[in-house]
Amino acid sequence: EVQLMESGGGLVQPGGSLRLSCAASGFTFSTHWLHWVRQAPGKGLVWVSQINTDGSTTAYADSVKGRFTISRDNAKNTLYLQMNSLRAEDTALYYCVLTSASGGWYAYDHWGQGTLVTVSS
Amino acid sequence: QSALTQPASVSGSPGQSITISCTGTSSDVGGYNYVSWYQKYPGKAPKLVIYDVSKRPSGVSDRFSGSKSGNTASLTISGLQAEDEADYYCTSFTRYNTYVFGTGTTITVL
């Protein structure tokens, strides 16, 4: 069974930093692309970032480009999101998401439960 | 990376069919057959209900179906049930090798 478990969320002041982690199990981690998707309170889902199988290719939403860095450790089956220069508008529940064959490789067929990031003074 | 456009809300009576639209551009919805749909209950993680425009994942009811015409994709729920009351989001792969979500639609079962 695929499991994605996010951690690292919390309360941080504007301008601060936070690193999210996503521990994965139940599938071959090193052969799958992974993504971060967020949902601000009362708002919709927003794609944040993605990373390919070996970490050599990444992409970011314009709203986080230059501030967030996605990475992965295939030896530890863990995905990361380093978030710097945080703003109030980054407050959201952050989901770790997997694309796999069961979703045609271009759909998010497995989701974690999310970790809450709150940016406030 | 503008969000895809969905109606804010759609409602229907039990047993009816409803359709949610998802409008993008030729750079996303219109350019690729990689549109997917998600059902989301409050406090729960989203669940994939349609991928590749019209394919259903294993275990998803056949009351859910998807289609696309030009730059607009659609999700149809037939035989509407109380349990279908939730938020629904579309997403599409884009020409920039990224993804974009729709604005979300709240389904109300009358």
Side-chain angles (χ1 to χ4, degrees):
Chain A
E1 178 191 3
V2 171
Q3 289 196 348
L4 301 167
M5 186 170 300
E6 304 92 338
S7 61
L11 175 63
V12 61
Q13 291 187 340
S17 298
L18 213 54
R19 188 176 83 155
L20 306 184
S21 299
C22 172
S25 62
F27 64 100
T28 306
F29 186 82
S30 61
T31 62
H32 289 75
W33 288 58
L34 290 157
H35 307 250
W36 289 99
V37 172
R38 71 184 183 185
Q39 184 174 33
K43 303 293 186 180
L45 298 171
V46 175
W47 174 81
V48 173
S49 183
Q50 68 189 30
I51 189 167
N52 71 338
T53 57
D54 65 3
S56 61
T57 301
T58 60
Y60 301 91
D62 288 345
S63 58
V64 307
K65 200 173 295 181
R67 301 187 299 121
F68 289 12
T69 302
I70 190 172
S71 63
R72 63 192 295 162
D73 186 334
N74 286 347
K76 295 183 177 180
N77 285 3
T78 302
L79 173 71
Y80 302 101
L81 185 67
Q82 177 67 44
M83 303 185 296
N84 298 330
S85 303
L86 282 162
R87 307 166 179 167
E89 54 264 37
D90 295 318
T91 294
L93 187 63
Y94 285 74
Y95 292 101
C96 168
V97 189
L98 168 70
T99 54
S100 72
S102 62
W105 296 106
Y106 288 89
Y108 303 131
D109 51 345
H110 297 281
W111 297 68
Q113 288 304 304
T115 187
L116 182 62
V117 172
T118 303
V119 184
S120 174
S121 55
Chain B
Q1 294 181 339
S2 297
L4 307 176
T5 300
Q6 298 179 231
S9 62
V10 174
S11 61
S13 299
Q16 285 186 329
S17 292
I18 61 167
T19 297
I20 306 168
S21 61
C22 170
T23 301
T25 69
S26 58
S27 295
D28 39 63
V29 175
Y32 303 90
N33 287 324
Y34 297 134
V35 175
S36 50
W37 290 89
Y38 303 84
Q39 177 188 60
K40 190 179 186 308
Y41 295 110
K44 298 290 189 182
K47 174 188 174 183
L48 178 67
V49 295
I50 291 289
Y51 68 96
D52 292 355
V53 174
S54 59
K55 298 177 182 177
R56 271 190 313 276
S58 175
V60 171
S61 171
D62 59 4
R63 297 185 300 104
F64 291 87
S65 62
S67 63
K68 190 183 84 167
S69 177
N71 296 336
T72 298
S74 298
L75 173 71
T76 298
I77 308 174
S78 58
L80 196 63
Q81 299 178 1
E83 66 198 49
D84 299 329
E85 192 163 283
D87 293 331
Y88 291 81
Y89 294 88
C90 61
T91 192
S92 175
F93 185 73
T94 81
R95 63 175 290 189
Y96 308 104
N97 292 329
T98 60
Y99 289 79
V100 60
F101 276 91
T103 50
T105 299
T106 298
I107 297 301
T108 301
V109 180
L110 302 172

